[in-house]
Amino acid sequence: MSEKKRSVLIVDDEYHIARLIFRLINWEEMNLECMDVLYNGEAALQTVLEKKPDIVITDVKMPKVNGLDLIKVSRDNGIDASFIIVSGYKEFEYARRALAYDVEDYILKPINAKELNDALRRICSKMDSHDRETTIKEKLHEEVVKSKNIIKRDFLKNIISQSEERGMSEASDISEEVAGSLSGDLYRGIDIKLDCLDRNKMDPKQDKLTVERVKELVETILSEIMDEVLICERDTLHIYCLFNYDKEKSKSVRNYISELLLKIKDYLMRFDRYEVTIGIGNEKTEFADIRFSILESYRAVCNRMHLGSGRLIYFHTISVEENTLLKDKMEEAKEIIRSSIEKCSRDALTNCIDELFNEQNYPNNVDDTDYYTAAEQITDLFFDDLKQENLESQKKALKLQCQHCRRLLQLSRLLKQNLGDCLDMILIVAETKSTKPIRQAKQYVEEHYREKILLDDIAEVVGLNPVYFSALFKKETDMNFSTYLINVRMEKAKKMLMTTNDTVAAIGDAVGYSDQKYFSQLFKKVVGVKPAIYRRLHS
């Protein structure tokens, strides 16, 4: 059976012969279906041109449009059907002309069922082989295209990754294969930055869908004019694009980028949760300088802090200098941050961040990129000094949120809030951790005060070294453990003296003192009067 269902058109101006051909074909065996049975060449030609059957079985001698004319016109119109000629004539001329039109078979009347079906099997087998070859070629082509796209995508991704790990100026891996595919005169990088207007409502799924739509807009709009467009997105919603184009398109490229901003803004209006800013690096004439244009686009978009967001920012239009003063203050801040962590001092941390990110402390023309870098360094320093693996996700989330701050004040508040809350949480955890064994010890005393309890015993119960437990208990309760134990026993004894008729000796034994004299002396020392007098006073 054929691998796929094929359509067959039967054409013969003799009705009985046309119907005979239909009955002789083993339709199901070869997975064939009849498109139509027609009785003249004109109708057949129209059907072939409109419906494009896979196989046409046609008589040669028909009025107006004969079988050979049908084949010729079909071939002239690019129809790739397989033709079988049926003829009652044995003239060699028909066979010769049919072969010239690449006819698959030539069958003489009277038609033999085996000969007809054998011809159809050969055609179907040939078609199946051709389809398999075509499928293989298409898959190979898809794989080649996919591989090239992956190479190009990874090339840009590697440039960005290297810039984040070692600094853009040190990124040096150049793909010869990518270089060979970029034939334009100029290279330019842009950074499409999507800022979440409410960082508390960030949604990774929606972010992903939005990024994909923005990438589609980039490809749709800019592919019209660019020789090549490479795109790479980061989880900070920076969408980096690398363009390659000829010099004469330079002005048009700027217009297309402006159009791109408008299209993205129009798309984002339906969400009311993002704002877009596009940073544009300088044009480069050398392939090796691509990384610098990408860096410039990032720096341009970072300067939305003082230039404003929701617009195009060309790197060559901004006048910025390295913020050396900020870097000096960062060195001082590192020690303050470490100290604030040791002391769990939120106030010290807050004051440090306020001082570091107070724009009045710096010149007006500094590069805002340095503020983002400082925020990332502070975040790394803070969480690395804590040395707590369970906070790694918070560290990553905070660094991501920093990239969505469009103003310096936003960045400062974000750091103070998150790092301050983290300090408070650590303090609570530490306090909880230190008070837990004290609570356990108190609970044990409450349940076992009648028994003999030594410091070593209770320390073992809570799982601490006796010396450490003693110091911790003193710190948390402001009294020694032995004093606490005596106080608990005396409170129990006072209650029994007031509510029972038990003897002093029995009560002393009930609270852990088998020696009545010692119990009475200790009771008087703690309470101020002897047990018997206490009973008379409170009876």
Side-chain angles (χ1 to χ4, degrees):
M1 180 182 287
S2 176
E3 295 178 3
K4 61 179 285 189
K5 189 173 285 291
R6 313 281 183 185
S7 57
V8 180
L9 177 65
I10 299 172
V11 190
D12 198 303
D13 61 341
E14 294 185 52
Y15 175 82
H16 295 293
I17 293 178
R19 301 309 301 177
L20 174 64
I21 292 173
F22 177 83
R23 291 194 300 273
L24 292 177
I25 295 175
N26 297 329
W27 296 99
E28 290 188 10
E29 176 195 334
M30 290 175 282
N31 201 18
L32 298 173
E33 62 179 356
C34 183
M35 177 179 285
D36 208 342
V37 178
L38 301 175
Y39 308 103
N40 66 80
E42 287 179 307
L45 180 58
Q46 184 177 356
T47 299
V48 169
L49 296 178
E50 291 179 358
K51 297 185 178 181
K52 299 179 177 60
D54 296 307
I55 302 170
V56 179
I57 303 173
T58 179
D59 188 16
V60 170
K61 194 170 179 61
M62 294 183 295
K64 294 186 179 179
V65 178
N66 62 39
L68 296 181
D69 292 335
L70 171 64
I71 298 170
K72 181 180 183 305
V73 175
S74 298
R75 292 288 187 247
D76 290 344
N77 282 272
I79 302 300
D80 194 29
S82 294
F83 286 90
I84 296 177
I85 292 291
V86 176
S87 175
Y89 298 89
K90 296 184 180 180
E91 286 86 347
F92 173 73
E93 183 61 24
Y94 282 109
R96 187 183 68 77
R97 288 178 60 191
L99 292 172
Y101 296 136
D102 193 24
V103 171
E104 293 293 337
D105 222 315
Y106 190 99
I107 298 176
L108 293 175
K109 298 177 182 178
I111 298 170
N112 178 277
K114 182 178 184 304
E115 186 179 1
L116 174 62
N117 285 295
D118 284 347
L120 288 169
R121 287 190 192 93
R122 286 194 297 271
I123 291 172
C124 288
S125 178
K126 185 176 179 180
M127 285 182 170
D128 288 343
S129 297
H130 179 267
D131 286 349
R132 286 193 294 270
E133 290 177 5
T134 301
T135 300
I136 291 172
K137 288 179 181 178
E138 288 175 351
K139 286 184 177 179
L140 286 173
H141 178 71
E142 289 175 2
E143 289 298 322
V144 170
V145 172
K146 184 179 179 180
S147 297
K148 288 182 177 179
N149 289 337
I150 290 174
I151 290 172
K152 292 175 182 178
R153 182 199 65 200
D154 289 348
F155 163 73
L156 185 55
K157 185 181 292 185
N158 288 338
I159 286 182
I160 306 304
S161 297
Q162 288 176 9
S163 73
E164 293 173 349
E165 292 170 5
R166 306 196 305 269
M168 185 68 76
S169 61
E170 297 179 26
S172 58
D173 293 344
I174 300 297
S175 169
E176 293 182 3
E177 188 164 353
V178 174
S181 69
L182 303 177
S183 57
D185 304 318
L186 301 174
Y187 308 94
R188 168 168 262 167
I190 72 168
D191 179 1
I192 304 171
K193 180 64 179 78
L194 301 179
D195 288 315
C196 289
L197 300 177
D198 186 345
R199 295 186 303 275
N200 296 319
K201 296 181 180 179
M202 292 176 68
D203 183 350
K205 291 184 178 179
Q206 182 59 58
D207 290 347
K208 184 176 181 180
L209 292 172
T210 304
V211 167
E212 289 303 315
R213 178 54 183 154
V214 170
K215 288 165 63 178
E216 289 176 7
L217 288 172
V218 172
E219 292 175 345
T220 301
I221 295 171
L222 298 181
S223 293
E224 297 180 12
I225 190 171
M226 307 293 182
D227 291 355
E228 189 73 63
V229 178
L230 307 184
I231 307 175
C232 169
E233 75 276 9
R234 311 302 285 171
D235 55 8
T236 50
L237 295 189
H238 283 275
I239 305 170
Y240 294 100
C241 307
L242 174 64
F243 306 146
N244 178 231
Y245 51 91
D246 293 328
K247 288 181 180 178
E248 61 269 18
K249 297 179 181 178
S250 184
K251 183 177 180 181
S252 297
V253 167
R254 291 194 293 272
N255 294 334
Y256 272 81
I257 294 175
S258 297
E259 180 186 350
L260 175 64
L261 177 66
L262 294 176
K263 292 289 185 182
I264 295 175
K265 280 191 167 187
D266 183 59
Y267 169 69
L268 296 179
M269 283 180 64
R270 69 189 69 180
F271 301 110
D272 193 28
R273 63 188 299 159
Y274 303 100
E275 183 165 58
V276 59
T277 306
I278 301 182
I280 303 107
N282 291 333
E283 291 178 330
K284 305 296 179 182
T285 58
E286 298 296 328
F287 181 81
D289 291 338
I290 286 174
R291 59 187 181 275
F292 298 114
S293 187
I294 295 292
L295 172 61
E296 289 166 355
S297 70
Y298 171 72
R299 290 179 63 188
V301 91
C302 283
N303 279 275
R304 69 192 184 283
M305 272 195 180
H306 73 271
L307 294 176
S309 53
R311 50 167 293 187
L312 299 177
I313 303 177
Y314 281 85
F315 181 75
H316 71 268
T317 65
I318 61 178
S319 175
V320 293
E321 296 179 5
E322 184 181 20
N323 196 340
T324 55
L325 183 57
L326 175 63
K327 293 185 176 181
D328 292 340
K329 285 182 175 291
M330 266 298 299
E331 293 304 314
E332 300 173 10
K334 289 178 181 179
E335 295 305 318
I336 299 174
I337 291 170
R338 290 192 178 100
S339 175
S340 66
I341 292 173
E342 291 176 4
K343 299 175 182 178
C344 277
S345 174
R346 181 168 188 154
D347 288 341
L349 179 66
T350 297
N351 292 336
C352 176
I353 294 173
D354 276 336
E355 175 66 19
L356 197 61
F357 291 97
N358 186 344
E359 58 187 344
Q360 295 180 357
N361 293 335
Y362 307 106
N364 293 326
N365 61 336
V366 297
D367 188 353
D368 291 339
T369 310
D370 295 331
Y371 292 121
Y372 290 103
T373 303
E376 186 165 313
Q377 290 174 349
I378 288 173
T379 304
D380 284 334
L381 174 66
F382 181 88
F383 285 98
D384 291 347
D385 264 33
L386 289 177
K387 297 180 176 62
Q388 296 190 32
E389 294 181 3
N390 59 326
L391 295 177
E392 188 62 33
S393 60
Q394 287 180 249
K395 171 183 172 181
K396 183 178 179 182
L398 178 56
K399 291 171 74 171
L400 188 152
Q401 289 183 9
C402 286
Q403 288 292 322
H404 290 275
C405 292
R406 295 165 291 140
R407 298 291 181 270
L408 188 57
L409 184 59
Q410 281 182 303
L411 187 61
S412 175
R413 286 175 176 170
L414 177 68
L415 290 171
K416 289 188 294 184
Q417 183 68 46
N418 280 262
L419 300 184
D421 287 350
C422 191
L423 269 188
D424 288 346
M425 181 190 70
I426 292 168
L427 183 59
I428 292 171
V429 170
E431 290 176 345
T432 303
K433 188 175 181 181
S434 66
T435 58
K436 183 178 179 181
I438 306 305
R439 292 198 307 272
Q440 290 177 323
K442 289 181 175 180
Q443 182 67 30
Y444 185 85
V445 168
E446 185 68 26
E447 296 172 358
H448 300 272
Y449 64 88
R450 301 174 184 85
E451 304 168 13
K452 182 179 180 180
I453 302 176
L454 300 176
L455 179 65
D456 288 357
D457 297 331
I458 196 70
E460 185 177 354
V461 168
V462 299
L464 294 177
N465 174 278
V467 176
Y468 177 71
F469 169 74
S470 179
L472 183 62
F473 195 93
K474 172 79 172 180
K475 177 185 175 183
E476 295 294 334
T477 64
D478 202 27
M479 69 175 70
N480 294 325
F481 174 72
S482 59
T483 303
Y484 176 79
L485 177 59
I486 291 171
N487 287 344
V488 170
R489 285 172 169 172
M490 293 305 107
E491 288 299 319
K492 300 294 182 182
K494 286 159 61 177
K495 186 175 181 180
M496 293 175 69
L497 287 167
M498 291 188 293
T499 59
T500 73
N501 294 321
D502 295 346
T503 64
V504 172
I507 292 173
D509 188 60
V511 296
Y513 303 106
S514 57
D515 186 332
Q516 180 184 345
K517 184 178 179 181
Y518 177 72
F519 167 66
S520 295
Q521 290 174 345
L522 187 59
F523 188 91
K524 182 179 180 182
K525 182 180 178 181
V526 174
V527 181
V529 295
K530 290 182 178 182
I533 297 174
Y534 184 87
R535 171 173 274 174
R536 287 199 297 270
L537 291 172
H538 294 84
S539 61

